[in-house]
C-alpha cells in the first residue's frame, strides 16, 4: 500500500521559516515528479512547487525566491522537501504532497495534508 507521510507544518510568525517533508514509500512504478500544493479556505488547490526526477523545478510566482523544493532517495523511500522562508500570512493553507508515478500510464498519489499558519 502506497504511503505518503507529511510533516513539518505548524504556526509561525510572518517572516519566519518552516520546512515540510513528505516521505513516499511503496510507490509502484517510476516516480516522474514530486511536488507541493496548497489550499486555503474558499480557494482551489494550487501548485506551489514541483521537482522532476531529472531535477528540474517549477515554482508558483508567489513563492519564487522564498521557497525551495528538493528531493532525496534512500533505498525504497523517496522524500520531497519544501523549505519555506520569508513566510507571509497569505501562505496560510493546508499543504499537500503529490507524487506522480508511471506504470504504463501516470498515477497521482496525495499526502494527507499539513496545516501551515502564518500570523501577522
Amino acid at each position: 500500500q502506497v504511503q505518503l507521510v507529511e510533516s513539518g507544518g505548524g504556526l509561525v510568525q510572518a517572516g519566519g521559516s518552516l520546512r515540510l517533508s513528505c516521505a513516499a514509500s511503496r510507490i509502484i512504478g517510476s516516480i516522474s515528479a514530486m511536488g507541493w500544493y496548497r489550499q486555503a479556505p474558499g480557494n482551489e488547490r494550487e501548485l506551489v512547487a514541483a521537482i522532476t526526477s531529472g531535477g528540474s523545478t517549477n515554482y508558483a510566482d508567489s513563492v519564487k525566491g522564498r521557497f525551495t523544493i528538493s528531493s532525496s532517495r534512500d533505498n525504497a523511500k523517496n522524500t520531497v522537501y519544501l523549505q519555506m522562508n520569508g513566510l507571509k500570512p497569505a501562505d496560510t493553507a493546508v499543504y499537500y504532497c503529490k507524487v506522480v508515478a508511471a506504470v504504463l500510464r501516470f498515477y497521482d498519489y496525495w499526502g494527507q495534508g499539513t496545516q501551515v499558519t502564518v500570523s501577522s
Side-chain angles (χ1 to χ4, degrees), residues 12-117:
V12 65
Q13 288 187 334
S17 298
L18 285 174
R19 190 189 194 211
L20 305 183
S21 299
C22 173
S25 58
R26 304 176 186 173
I27 299 291
I28 298 173
S30 300
I31 292 178
S32 60
M34 304 177 76
W36 290 94
Y37 288 69
R38 67 186 181 188
Q39 187 168 18
N43 292 352
E44 293 186 352
R45 191 172 296 187
E46 63 176 0
L47 173 69
V48 176
I51 185 167
T52 69
S53 57
S56 298
T57 57
N58 183 39
Y59 295 92
D61 288 342
S62 60
V63 306
K64 284 180 180 176
R66 299 188 297 122
F67 291 10
T68 302
I69 190 169
S70 61
S71 64
S72 67
R73 180 180 174 86
D74 179 12
N75 292 325
K77 188 168 69 177
N78 292 271
T79 304
V80 61
Y81 306 93
L82 186 67
Q83 178 66 44
M84 304 185 293
N85 299 328
L87 283 161
K88 305 174 181 180
D91 296 318
T92 295
V94 178
Y95 284 69
Y96 297 91
C97 166
K98 177 183 174 181
V99 173
V100 181
V103 180
L104 300 180
R105 67 174 182 88
F106 291 104
Y107 293 84
D108 293 345
Y109 300 97
W110 290 92
Q112 79 281 7
T114 185
Q115 177 70 46
V116 171
T117 303

